């Protein structure tokens, strides 16, 4: 986990070493770094954008061995390299991901169990399973509860315990998570619940963040 700096740091610029660079399909090159700030695609979240020594990083994935792979349009020499993360792109996805956690905590307080999450722009949603005969919330009520927690400006904290990463929102609770997050719920202003769908004991909450 020590090589995945995005798990414990909010830094957007850093230096690292290129350990490997090889040709891939579609005229792209795969770069493996000693340490990386780039969040790979996965966990319901798109990958980071940015550059390595000024060259655009086209895509970032994680292979079956847990190695983070960076795809570039050019080959880079082994050795020192500077990483720069696209700040606005990172923030957009971090806000959506944290908003999903916030909604999850609020729904679980009323007897719903989160079973799926997808935090992509334009299609962000969570799916919950009913327990204890929980009643589905109204759009107005859930929206008001979200606004209240945003105004309370809960800090977002990261905890690593025995190799497992947990993301906590104030005292609302915590989830195991490998994604990127904002540092305070105050950064979620503009969170909008767009649709609530209840079907066969499953509740779908669709949301977005308007600037």
């Amino acid at each position: 986990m020590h090589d995945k700096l995005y798990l414990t740091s909010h830094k957007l610029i850093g230096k690292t070493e290129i350990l490997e660079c090889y040709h891939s399909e579609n005229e792209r090159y795969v770069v493996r770094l000693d340490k990386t700030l780039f969040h790979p695609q996965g966990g319901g979240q798109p990958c980071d954008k940015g550059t390595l020594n000024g060259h655009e990083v086209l895509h970032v994935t994680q292979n079956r061995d847990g190695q983070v792979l960076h795809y570039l349009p050019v080959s880079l020499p082994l050795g020192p390299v500077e990483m720069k993360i696209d700040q606005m792109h990172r923030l957009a996805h971090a806000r959506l991901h944290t908003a999903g956690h916030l909604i999850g905590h609020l729904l679980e307080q009323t007897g719903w169990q989160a079973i799926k999450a997808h935090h992509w722009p334009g299609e962000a949603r969570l799916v919950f399973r009913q327990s204890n005969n929980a009643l589905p919330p109204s759009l107005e009520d859930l929206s008001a509860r979200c606004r209240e927690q945003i105004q309370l400006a809960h800090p977002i904290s990261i905890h690593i315990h025995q190799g497992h990463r947990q993301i906590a929102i104030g005292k609302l609770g915590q989830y195991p998570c490998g994604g990127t997050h904002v540092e305070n719920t105050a950064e979620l202003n503009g969170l909008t619940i767009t649709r609530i769908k209840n079907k066969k004991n499953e509740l779908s909450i669709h949301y977005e963040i308007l600037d």
Side-chain angles (χ1 to χ4, degrees), residues 103-112 145 149 171-173:
I103 295 168
H105 289 308
L106 294 179
L107 264 292
E108 289 187 348
Q109 289 177 352
T110 59
W112 293 90
R145 292 173 64 198
Q149 299 304 321
K171 296 182 179 179
L172 291 177

Side-chain angles (χ1 to χ4, degrees), residues 32-108:
R32 186 168 62 85
L33 303 173
D34 176 48
K35 303 179 190 301
T36 184
L37 291 169
F38 285 85
H39 180 278
Q41 182 168 307
Q45 179 179 334
C47 65
D48 278 329
K49 292 182 178 180
T51 61
L52 292 177
N53 276 357
H55 299 284
E56 181 185 7
V57 175
L58 303 172
H59 190 58
V60 187
T61 64
Q62 183 170 261
N63 65 18
R64 293 181 180 179
D65 295 327
Q67 297 174 332
V68 178
L69 306 179
H70 311 72
Y71 290 80
L72 282 81
V74 297
S75 176
L76 296 180
L78 305 188
V81 67
E82 183 180 53
M83 305 174 283
K84 288 187 178 181
I85 304 297
D86 184 314
Q87 180 179 14
M88 298 308 295
H89 185 81
R90 163 69 72 85
L91 180 60
H93 296 306
R95 293 176 76 202
L96 283 171
H97 204 144
T98 304
H101 280 221
L102 175 62
I103 295 168
H105 289 308
L106 294 179
L107 264 292
E108 289 187 348

Side-chain angles (χ1 to χ4, degrees), residues 71-197:
Y71 290 80
L72 282 81
V74 297
S75 176
L76 296 180
L78 305 188
V81 67
E82 183 180 53
M83 305 174 283
K84 288 187 178 181
I85 304 297
D86 184 314
Q87 180 179 14
M88 298 308 295
H89 185 81
R90 163 69 72 85
L91 180 60
H93 296 306
R95 293 176 76 202
L96 283 171
H97 204 144
T98 304
H101 280 221
L102 175 62
I103 295 168
H105 289 308
L106 294 179
L107 264 292
E108 289 187 348
Q109 289 177 352
T110 59
W112 293 90
Q113 179 184 359
I115 57 174
K116 297 178 184 177
H118 185 71
H119 309 293
W120 286 57
E123 49 190 70
R125 66 186 183 277
L126 296 100
V127 179
F128 299 83
R129 180 181 292 119
Q130 189 178 35
S131 62
N132 302 323
N133 298 314
L135 296 175
S138 69
L139 190 148
E140 293 77 14
D141 175 65
L142 182 57
S143 297
R145 292 173 64 198
C146 287
R147 287 195 297 271
E148 178 183 10
Q149 299 304 321
I150 290 170
Q151 291 171 0
L152 289 173
H154 295 295
I156 314 301
S157 56
I158 300 170
H159 306 278
I160 307 292
H161 180 65
Q162 295 182 348
H164 298 284
R165 182 178 187 252
Q166 300 276 337
I167 301 297
I169 299 182
K171 296 182 179 179
L172 291 177
Q174 60 185 19
Y175 286 126
C177 181
T180 59
H181 292 271
V182 296
E183 298 182 65
N184 192 288
T185 57
E187 298 180 67
L188 303 182
N189 276 317
L191 171 59
T192 302
I193 308 300
T194 58
R195 184 160 63 102
I196 296 177
K197 181 180 179 181

